[in-house]
Amino acid sequence: SPAALMRAIELNAVAVAANKRAFEWGRRLAARPDEVHAVAGEAFPEAREPASLAEIIDRRAEFLTGYQNAAYAQRYRDLVAKVEAAEEMLGRGRELTNAVARYYFKLLAYKDEYEVARLFTGGDFEKRLRETFDGKLKTTFHLAPPFLNTGTYPDGRPKKKEFGPWMFRLYKVLAAMKGLRGTAFDPFGRSDERKMERRLI
């Protein structure tokens, strides 16, 4: 019964208020989906797509500056400008330039160890944790560092180990080391995955 489920949520003692709200919204969704979708749409509007090619380029260049540095962002801008000039000479539209602006960025901004560290320590992650959960939190991370060789699952994915909240300190150091990315001194750059990502660029 709903009362028994509510009691189970209380006994579980994890994010009780949030789980009770989720249960109630689930019931509303089953009974009146259109109303719930309308409310959810107002509360969580979809991310606005950039209005112009220039905005696409500026937004992604700004991200790449944080991801690596201004020179890396300029590398992105230079290739997009080169493609745009070639399309202009051909008297065509901007379809290829748009594709390059979007997908060359994705190749440049692959999510490696340095980027994961930057995203965890940039402030937004901890802010969202505080907004979502009450009380004192203990954060654990499930990772498969290449230097630990934790083995693999039958599907080939690496097995992960659990690490405690002290990882935040290590992440801060790692985020500051992003300048090593792609260089001969990059301790993570020798894996097959990282080599492939660099080849794709």
Side-chain angles (χ1 to χ4, degrees), residues 61 63-65 67-78 104-105 107-110 181 197-198 201:
F63 182 93
L64 290 170
T65 301
Y67 175 89
Q68 184 71 7
N69 55 36
Y72 201 66
Q74 191 58 49
R75 176 181 176 182
Y76 165 77
R77 285 184 182 278
D78 289 346
Y104 181 48
F105 163 79
L107 291 176
L108 288 171
Y110 57 89
R181 178 188 282 126
E197 284 160 342
R198 291 197 300 274
I201 293 172

Side-chain angles (χ1 to χ4, degrees), residues 70-123:
Y72 201 66
Q74 191 58 49
R75 176 181 176 182
Y76 165 77
R77 285 184 182 278
D78 289 346
L79 181 65
V80 175
K82 190 175 177 182
V83 173
E84 187 173 23
E87 269 196 311
E88 199 171 310
M89 281 175 58
L90 294 171
R92 298 175 56 181
R94 293 287 182 275
E95 280 184 43
L96 181 59
T97 307
N98 263 289
V100 171
R102 292 171 191 276
Y103 299 107
Y104 181 48
F105 163 79
K106 287 193 174 204
L107 291 176
L108 288 171
Y110 57 89
K111 194 178 276 186
D112 60 4
E113 292 79 1
Y114 304 108
E115 180 62 356
V116 169
R118 184 179 81 93
L119 294 173
F120 272 130
T121 58

Side-chain angles (χ1 to χ4, degrees), residues 20-91:
K20 283 184 173 182
R21 281 195 304 273
F23 176 74
E24 288 301 331
W25 277 107
R27 295 181 76 194
R28 288 180 190 145
L29 179 63
R32 300 190 297 278
D34 291 342
E35 288 178 25
V36 172
H37 285 298
V39 171
E42 290 170 17
F44 302 100
E46 286 187 29
R48 184 182 68 80
E49 268 294 296
S52 66
L53 177 60
E55 192 180 345
I56 289 171
I57 295 165
D58 288 345
R59 236 197 242 185
R60 283 158 173 74
E62 182 183 351
F63 182 93
L64 290 170
T65 301
Y67 175 89
Q68 184 71 7
N69 55 36
Y72 201 66
Q74 191 58 49
R75 176 181 176 182
Y76 165 77
R77 285 184 182 278
D78 289 346
L79 181 65
V80 175
K82 190 175 177 182
V83 173
E84 187 173 23
E87 269 196 311
E88 199 171 310
M89 281 175 58
L90 294 171

Side-chain angles (χ1 to χ4, degrees), residues 160-178:
K160 296 186 176 183
K161 286 180 68 82
E162 191 175 287
F163 297 86
W166 59 268
M167 278 299 296
F168 273 115
R169 290 193 296 279
L170 185 60
Y171 277 149
K172 284 182 178 164
V173 172
L174 199 53
M177 292 169 58
K178 66 182 179 180

